[in-house]
Amino acid sequence: MTTTHNGLAISARIKEGHHEALIKTLSQINDQGAAHNEIYSFGDSKTTHFATLAILPEERTLSGKSLPSRFLFLTSYTGDRKKHVRELAENNPEGLAEIFKHCEGFPSTITPGSIYRYMRKYTTINTFYTGFQYVTYEDVGKEYELREAIENYLDEACNEPGFKNKSALEIRKSIQDVVKSDPGLSWSTKPYKRSLRSYLKLLGPLYILGVILGVSLICCVLVFFWANVFTWIGTMIFLSFVGILVVPLVLLRINESRPFESVAKPTDKRIYDIVSREKYPIKNEMTVAGPLKRGWIRPVFLFIILRLVWFVRAFAYIPTVHTARWFQVDGGKRIVFIAYFDNTSEAYAHDFVDSDKRIRNLNLIFGNGHGFPPTKWAVIGGGRDREKYITAVRAQQKITNVWYYTHCHVGILNINNNRAIRKGLWGDMSENEARQWLLLF
Amino acid sequence: MQLLEKEDIQGLIVRGYSNFPEASFVLCGITNPAKAKKYFARLAERITPASQKPDKRAIHIAFSNEGIKLLNLSSSAYATFSRQFKEGMTEKNRQLVLGDIEYNAPEHWEWGGTRSEQIHFILMIYAKDKTVLNLVMEGEKNNFDQTGIKEIKTLDSFALPEQKEHFGFRDGISQPNIEELGKDNNAPEWNVLPSGEFILGYKNVYDQYPESPFVSRNEDPENLLPASTLYDKKKDLGRNGSYLIFRQLSQDVHAFWKYLMENSNEKDDPTEAAICLGAKMVGRWPDGTPLIKSPDEPNDKFTTDNQFGYWKEDFHGLKCPVGSHIRRSNPRDWLLTEKTHEESMQMIRKHRILRRGRAYGLPMTDTLDPEKIMKAENDTEARGLHFICFSGDIIRQFEFIQNAWIRFPKFGGLYDDSDPLIGTHYQKNGIKTDAFTVPAEPVRRRYKNLPEFTTLRGGGYFFFPGIRALRYLASLPNPS
């Protein structure tokens, strides 16, 4: 089984005249709770970490083109995508039908199979980031319990005479004994091992791309000394790659010289409507979506950037984020960003603009969105204008109709710390390594 | 460098009046706005500007959102105040953001809460001794009846010995330095901030002018206000002013030391052990020595030391716990969510406040020596801290600190710990915030079920106007 953490994004147009009915259905789910309700209970899923159901309103691009009202069904899950979608469909096909029946293209026959095919058909590519990789829904809970059990043992052990004088390895051994003696923790007595399949699923495409680029670069050099069909093909591949990056960048730079078109500042009431929904003490969600800046190069450039980010997503880092994703809808003319993060959106929004490095990364993607402060060469400027950035985030933020989360009391740093505890529980360790491991508690 | 208009800035922003041990904060309501405005116009002449260093007394004023509304400011001008100020500290969502829930919820407050009388402004009087304070207070209060002002409550305050707070720890050591005041050449770079962080109308840490309330030109016929730096054809009502945050925190000194004595056993001597745990919770020894500089015992050399960081010196919190009060309220150069100490500093510089807090209530013992406090009988004296701070952007500075660092139990990778001193300690719906973790080798020590050592008794957001802005507010026409 793979444990790669991925995002499922289903995007479908809402049928004419069904907008209000869909809002009503989603409100019912929200009011009763996304985990368990009379329509569709995400709590029945064993593969889902988070879910968002949101309606994007009808909007217009800056050139006046209409962007239709759209329904987004998004989940973050671990494992195989097909299995995840099948699980969602089989858990309650009628419930999903109750939601998707308001969307275009929905089949008339409701079976797990038809729902499954519909969801697959309307799945859109998304660039997905996660703050915790290879950790399943079940792992989050179990590893939290493991850490709690060890903490409780340490609370007692600290008061035992002579405990402080024990070596780190001796203490680790005593922890191992406690874990072994607890039948409820027997699952953790096997050393943790990530599957090669999961690893390759996450990083395989990057390695393949790296090999292709590396070989083509070598060909590019070799062609001067040893020109043949292979070195020429390699050279063409390399030059194509450079072209894909450089040409759009130059075109974007030309586009960037257009006058900045600001976005209307949201009213206090609008901001209040959004932030007053952030009532969860540990983690919250935000949906930001809006049209791109003027010019055909914007959707093209963003498309390329999102694909590149997808390749290197395993190396990205956004503090306090559980998961985040970006994707384009409506022929690339509208960008959607969904994130689940620790604490509130105000604190989270600052994670981006308070760090010079992250401003550059932020600019690459968000710099294309309408209202985001102007950039130069895609990365310069932009989010450095904090006022405009915050205004744009709030102006483009949408009210999420439904969102679902698991393990309400576990923060992102907790998840990764619990995994590190589990990983270090078994196997050989030096005294110094054991000392470092004990600092995780 | 920007030049500060000190003659227009109320002096409390630039100095804490350590030479004035006595202070009173009079919480007032306006019963007759027309008369009250006449009082404010006269008061503007008595306000102590930053350009003066007074030797007898200082007077300052700050308005609540309700108070500003009563002065008949146009609704379009009122709308330009910050959303947090307009919503007020007790608004439901703000309560969650600030962690003002459970026993700290505003329905329990003695003033400024959801069940208390509305506060319209606060008069802040500082004096060199009790006699001067009483004289000034008498002078002001005598005016109240004839000027449509009602005294709702007066909060007294005085400086405790050795700059300590009631738990017995030296306080107020770490403050940001305002670049334009150029007082301290030895201040580390991270601690020097542009004035716009705390005073409206000047550039802030983003090299931008902060949002500041403004009026249209025709609303200022007497030309009392300066032109807005942000908006054409607007006059800056906020320039040289700030937002003042006031929170009255009562301190249960007896409960604090009782908990420490009953739960600390890291040293053989129970008194020493209690002080040691108390120091871990605060981050400094009672005399002010930072644990980073001297983790095992206080050291006279470092009692006012502020030149230290955490990233290189103490990444894991083995000297100064990650969850300690000073490390949470100003993490300096350490955020576990960041990859380097430079990135941490970049983040943290955007979230600083200028504190002007004062203690209230008689101390449990004259000297505030922890050993004596521990031996003292419990009493019924109300004591605590009037937490006062300035912030140019309430949500980015004060609320961020309170929300992400003080309140949030996951700060720094912790699990169930909010600030041990001023956090709201509770357990509800699987969320726990009442633990305190002391990292140590070979293993940490975890203290559970922390009681409420401090409780909110009142609070509010206030607009602390520049002196010209005060004159402008006083000059507003009365409704016909």
Side-chain angles (χ1 to χ4, degrees), chain A residues 166-184:
Chain A
K166 284 185 177 179
S167 71
L169 282 171
E170 285 170 332
I171 293 174
R172 181 169 175 256
K173 173 75 174 58
S174 68
I175 291 171
Q176 289 171 339
D177 292 341
V178 168
V179 172
K180 271 187 207 161
S181 67
D182 185 341

Side-chain angles (χ1 to χ4, degrees), chain A residues 402-438:
Chain A
V402 175
W403 81 278
Y404 165 75
Y405 62 96
T406 51
H407 307 292
C408 68
H409 52 288
V410 192
I412 181 64
L413 292 174
N414 296 160
I415 292 174
N416 288 315
N417 194 57
N418 295 346
R419 171 51 59 93
I421 287 171
R422 180 182 171 189
K423 280 163 98 170
L425 184 56
W426 306 104
D428 292 337
M429 251 188 200
S430 67
E431 174 68 14
N432 195 39
E433 286 168 334
R435 278 179 59 213
Q436 292 299 314
W437 182 72
L438 288 174

Side-chain angles (χ1 to χ4, degrees), chain B residues 67-347:
Chain B
I68 293 279
K69 279 187 206 165
L70 279 178
L71 299 179
N72 201 30
L73 188 69
S74 69
S75 56
S76 58
Y78 178 73
T80 62
F81 280 91
S82 88
R83 180 173 63 87
Q84 299 73 40
F85 171 73
K86 286 179 289 185
E87 286 176 1
M89 194 180 274
T90 58
E91 188 281 321
K92 251 198 155 63
N93 181 244
R94 305 242 82 70
Q95 293 177 32
L96 297 178
V97 168
L98 298 170
D100 295 347
I101 53 173
E102 304 292 316
Y103 57 89
N104 277 331
E107 63 255 34
H108 306 305
W109 294 3
E110 290 166 9
W111 63 272
T114 46
R115 293 179 185 168
S116 329
E117 200 170 346
Q118 270 184 4
I119 307 294
H120 295 142
F121 72 95
I122 177 167
L123 195 63
M124 310 170 86
I125 300 169
Y126 297 81
K128 67 167 192 167
D129 56 38
K130 197 82 186 163
T131 315
V132 176
L133 181 73
N134 287 342
L135 263 174
V136 180
M137 285 282 285
E138 208 177 317
E140 297 302 329
K141 284 185 185 177
N142 281 344
N143 282 324
F144 282 2
D145 279 347
Q146 301 95 54
T147 53
I149 288 166
K150 178 183 165 193
E151 176 192 356
I152 292 171
K153 191 178 177 74
T154 292
L155 307 170
D156 288 323
S157 166
F158 53 86
L160 294 176
E162 297 171 52
Q163 288 179 270
K164 285 192 170 184
E165 49 68 56
H166 282 291
F167 291 140
F169 291 81
R170 192 171 186 137
D171 193 19
I173 299 169
S174 176
Q175 291 274 20
N177 291 79
I178 296 179
E179 195 178 351
E180 288 79 357
L181 292 176
K183 274 182 186 167
D184 187 355
N185 294 329
N186 297 322
E189 194 190 336
W190 59 264
N191 206 34
V192 180
L193 291 160
S195 53
E197 284 297 287
F198 313 108
I199 311 174
L200 301 175
Y202 300 89
K203 284 191 174 174
N204 60 20
V205 73
Y206 298 93
D207 203 27
Q208 292 185 314
Y209 290 103
E211 284 291 334
S212 175
F214 59 84
V215 301
S216 60
R217 268 187 198 164
N218 58 11
E219 287 178 303
D220 182 22
E222 293 177 51
N223 202 23
L224 292 169
L225 298 174
S228 167
T229 45
L230 284 175
Y231 302 103
D232 286 343
K233 298 176 184 171
K234 303 289 179 197
K235 305 298 278 299
D236 197 344
L237 179 61
R239 187 173 174 87
N240 294 321
S242 185
Y243 288 108
L244 181 149
I245 293 105
F246 200 123
R247 284 159 82 80
Q248 183 186 351
L249 291 162
S250 75
Q251 292 174 263
D252 192 340
V253 179
H254 182 74
F256 178 70
W257 285 106
K258 183 168 179 276
Y259 181 89
L260 297 181
M261 282 194 288
E262 288 174 355
N263 291 277
S264 57
N265 53 6
E266 292 192 34
K267 293 198 174 186
D268 295 334
D269 176 52
T271 309
E272 256 186 64
I275 293 173
C276 188
L277 177 56
K280 290 283 185 188
M281 286 188 180
V282 174
R284 288 182 186 266
W285 291 99
D287 71 351
T289 305
L291 295 185
I292 289 289
K293 288 288 174 81
S294 180
D296 299 321
E297 58 188 2
N299 186 326
D300 288 348
K301 281 195 292 187
F302 301 122
T303 54
T304 56
D305 197 297
N306 198 31
Q307 303 262 19
F308 58 90
Y310 300 113
W311 190 277
K312 288 170 188 160
E313 290 91 335
D314 188 29
F315 189 87
H316 294 289
L318 293 169
K319 294 178 187 170
C320 179
V322 167
S324 64
H325 174 66
I326 68 161
R327 198 158 171 167
R328 295 184 83 117
S329 48
N330 177 13
R332 292 166 186 253
D333 66 344
W334 184 94
L335 285 177
L336 193 60
T337 45
E338 298 303 314
K339 296 287 188 196
T340 66
H341 107 285
E342 285 82 11
E343 286 173 12
S344 297
M345 276 198 294
Q346 274 181 16
M347 298 286 290

